[in-house]
Amino acid sequence: MQELKVPFKDQILEGIPEILPVPKVYDESINHAPKRKDILNAEEKKLALRNALRYFDKKHHEILLPEFKSELEKYGRIYMYRFRPDYRMYARPIEEYPAKSKQAAAIMLMIQNNLDYAVAQHPHELITYGGNGSVFQNWAQYRLTMKYLAEMNDEQTLVMYSGHPMGLFPSHKEAPRVVVTNGMMIPNYSKPDDWEKFNALGVTQYGQMTAGSYMYIGPQGIVHGTTITVLNGFRKIGKEPKGNLFVTSGLGGMSGAQPKAGNIAGCITVCAEVNPKITQVRLDQGWIDEKITDLDELVTRVKKAQAEKETISLAYLGNVVDVWEKFDEANIHVDLGSDQTSLHNPWAGGYYPADISFEDANDMMANKPELFKEKVQQTLRRHAKAINKHTSKGTYFFDYGNAFLLEASRAGADVMSENPTIGREFKYPSYVQDIMGPMCFDYGFGPFRWVCASGKPEDLVKTDKIACDVLEKIMKNSPKEIQQQMADNIQWIKGAQENKLVVGSQARILYADAEGRMRIAEAFNQAISRGEIGEVVLGRDHHDVSGTDSPYRETSNIYDGSRFTADMAIHNVIGDSFRGATWVSIHNGGGVGWGEVINGGFGMVLDGTKEASTRLKRMLFWDVNNGISRRSWAQNEGAVFAIKRAMEVEPNLKVTLPNQVDDDLF
């Protein structure tokens, strides 16, 4: 064995190395995934080891077997740390990738961005965010995938089975270059412990939403959505953000955006987090203004901020339950409340019990999982009880789509409505039900995003200006129903540079409808054609108008009984694939939990050609209007308005509209 110091391009082309690299030292300074549950029996552990060894030549099995066995015992998974590359992991300029296909090079860029140390939550375990949102299951899959992408031509498609590259298959130039599935289980095998088992076996993974689809752009992706949510939350209660208080928790991959969004919205934000490493990372990144470790000091600081009407973000290093209880005791009025811990993953690091240290909780999670679950559920009951005290005093609380209310209800917490109706089973709404659904998704506004593949900050500045100019022109003739949405996004894009939102790739996000997305994309493509900017990768969060069927989040404001169906997400990814997407993905799990949601996404490379112009128009129109038509059929007023408007613009669009039913008949 010897360590090979080979150039980046050569390492990519090598794939799984012929000569074994030397074992890697376990880096304690990196934020690592928690140890997973010991869930496999003796025979299943042998199977997991067989499954891992099949990536390697037989001559290496004797050396690798004890190593992989040790990983499985220590961490509950086989990550193949030895094969972690020596080169720095980040989104390089597109020209630096060895590739026969420009589209494939763009996908390589996006994969590396998801694993950038500044972006990924647990980079050595290939987990981007959410505690278990994986790009790959192990480093052999990463190496093999990058090699396939380097070899691919424009008449091949790479097929990805939950992180495993099944191989390159013949297709055609208009087909997606990559098709991704993650965690697509038979429905009866989609419980949380099924993920633990089959992921440990190495046959499936949790792709989250934009982790396993190579479209995560760091916390900026959710900063914008959270900013809009907070702004509209304050509008809903008739208050200005300035000097008013938003209390929440979680500073991880997605939730870390909350304090930054609070600052942009202009309120006081208190965000609790139990993990000292990630809290320090957010402080160092400037995503929080101050870190506080003492509850009395926190009370004093919040009272000062309220009195002086400050815009400030405060991180409390500790459990959010203690914050809610202390604020009740100190009679601090909370205007908006929510939670964004990873409660889709409550038993494996997504939510921590109160009154137990972070280290002891991690130990309990791995070695006494049933006791850990009991402590988590006790904490959820306390959490809900404390929130109920605040809401009785006027706090507006909403579920931020992280399965807080769902898991609290399963724990027996007091969160159920006294007078439940279909879709309104809980005391508190999902933020999609009362804020994002009726105000944004029904009208087609969702998280459109792009990445400048050149890696040049100046290209991002140019695209920001292009997008702003397009939106300002559209707004002049927009109907009153969407004027506020347009204004919010113009304000956002104008402030994007000064808010220093870029982490990793040169990326941007804004909420746009189909018209906005198509016109912005076309303007980008023309600028590329003129040589003003380099190639651009388009995408979106799966948390969007059409991409996700999630009854307690994205589709929670659909009340015709269809919110538990997943036709929309499946049609979305099928439709995107034959209308010109560069890659498509469909996942089980993401945001609200394994077995609780089906979500799909896409990526599209703009290269300045007429072909790209054709693809972007036909695909982006479908990608949005698929969801609007489904929402209009559910009789959502804004969606009926939006789909009628779309049919006026596009004569080939003919959508079945609902007839109104008179309630008096019943």
Side-chain angles (χ1 to χ4, degrees), residues 103 173-175 177 518 525 576 578-582 604-607 609-621:
Q103 293 183 341
K173 288 183 178 179
E174 290 297 300
R177 296 281 70 79
M518 289 188 294
N525 201 50
D576 284 355
F578 66 74
R579 286 180 173 87
T582 305
M604 173 176 277
V605 178
L606 300 182
D607 58 6
T609 62
K610 290 181 179 178
E611 291 80 6
S613 177
T614 299
R615 286 195 295 269
L616 75 87
K617 289 167 188 169
R618 70 188 178 202
M619 200 219 79
L620 292 174
F621 184 86

Side-chain angles (χ1 to χ4, degrees), residues 53-69:
L53 289 171
R54 59 186 164 175
Y55 284 101
F56 306 96
D57 191 290
K58 195 172 182 179
K59 66 186 178 185
H60 298 312
H61 288 186
E62 190 173 351
I63 293 173
L64 293 176
L65 177 58
E67 189 174 308
F68 291 168
K69 181 174 182 288

Side-chain angles (χ1 to χ4, degrees), residues 333-642:
H333 180 69
V334 179
D335 299 281
L336 291 185
S338 194
D339 183 87
Q340 210 176 9
T341 51
S342 297
L343 267 160
H344 68 275
N345 184 31
W347 325 127
Y351 184 90
Y352 281 78
D355 302 331
I356 302 173
S357 72
F358 181 62
E359 295 75 15
D360 288 348
N362 279 327
D363 181 69
M364 184 187 296
M365 186 196 312
N367 299 310
K368 298 178 181 177
E370 290 307 313
L371 179 59
F372 182 81
K373 180 176 180 179
E374 181 184 322
K375 294 293 184 184
V376 164
Q377 291 191 321
Q378 285 177 4
T379 302
L380 281 167
R381 291 192 290 271
R382 270 179 63 185
H383 197 160
K385 183 178 179 181
I387 288 167
N388 291 342
K389 288 183 178 180
H390 283 274
T391 58
S392 70
K393 294 187 281 188
T395 297
Y396 176 71
F397 183 86
F398 56 89
D399 186 297
Y400 207 172
N402 64 331
F404 170 73
L405 290 175
L406 188 61
E407 285 303 329
S409 69
R410 290 169 176 168
D414 181 14
V415 294
M416 305 310 294
S417 172
E418 292 181 5
N419 299 297
T421 58
I422 293 174
R424 292 280 180 171
E425 298 90 347
F426 299 114
K427 277 180 186 286
Y428 308 113
S430 154
Y431 74 115
V432 173
Q433 283 182 300
D434 283 6
I435 300 173
M436 299 305 285
M439 295 180 178
C440 291
F441 290 172
D442 284 353
Y443 289 99
F445 285 84
F448 178 60
R449 55 178 63 164
W450 65 88
V451 176
C452 296
S454 67
K456 297 177 181 177
E458 56 265 36
D459 275 11
L460 186 59
V461 172
K462 290 174 184 176
T463 58
D464 283 346
K465 185 177 187 308
I466 290 169
C468 187
D469 290 346
V470 168
L471 292 179
E472 287 181 331
K473 287 176 184 174
I474 294 174
M475 188 176 173
K476 289 178 182 177
N477 298 309
S478 292
K480 61 179 176 54
E481 287 86 350
I482 60 171
Q483 285 285 314
Q484 184 67 67
Q485 294 91 324
M486 297 295 297
D488 283 347
N489 283 289
I490 290 168
Q491 179 183 343
W492 163 265
I493 201 71
K494 285 183 173 178
Q497 293 288 332
E498 66 187 60
N499 285 315
K500 298 179 180 178
L501 295 161
V502 171
V503 177
S505 59
Q506 294 296 315
R508 186 67 71 224
I509 185 171
L510 59 78
Y511 268 51
D513 61 3
E515 180 186 12
R517 298 181 205 204
M518 289 188 294
R519 289 178 60 174
I520 289 169
E522 177 61 20
F524 289 168
N525 201 50
Q526 290 175 7
I528 296 165
S529 180
R530 293 191 297 267
E532 296 169 6
I533 57 174
E535 292 89 350
V536 171
V537 179
L538 300 182
R540 58 162 168 75
D541 196 337
H542 295 205
H543 171 65
D544 196 13
V545 182
S546 299
T548 298
D549 281 298
S550 180
Y552 297 107
R553 194 163 79 178
E554 282 79 4
T555 45
S556 60
N557 72 317
I558 289 177
Y559 303 110
D560 66 353
S562 69
R563 65 192 175 117
F564 294 97
T565 67
D567 301 82
M568 180 178 72
I570 299 298
H571 270 291
N572 182 256
V573 75
I574 292 171
D576 284 355
S577 68
F578 66 74
R579 286 180 173 87
T582 305
W583 72 97
V584 291
S585 60
I586 189 78
H587 302 174
N588 165 28
V592 298
W594 182 262
E596 303 285 357
V597 51
I598 300 294
N599 62 90
F602 76 88
M604 173 176 277
V605 178
L606 300 182
D607 58 6
T609 62
K610 290 181 179 178
E611 291 80 6
S613 177
T614 299
R615 286 195 295 269
L616 75 87
K617 289 167 188 169
R618 70 188 178 202
M619 200 219 79
L620 292 174
F621 184 86
W622 156 258
D623 191 66
V624 175
N625 282 294
N626 167 45
I628 295 177
S629 64
R630 186 266 177 94
R631 292 167 189 277
S632 74
W633 184 240
Q635 300 184 310
N636 291 17
E637 188 177 336
V640 173
F641 166 84

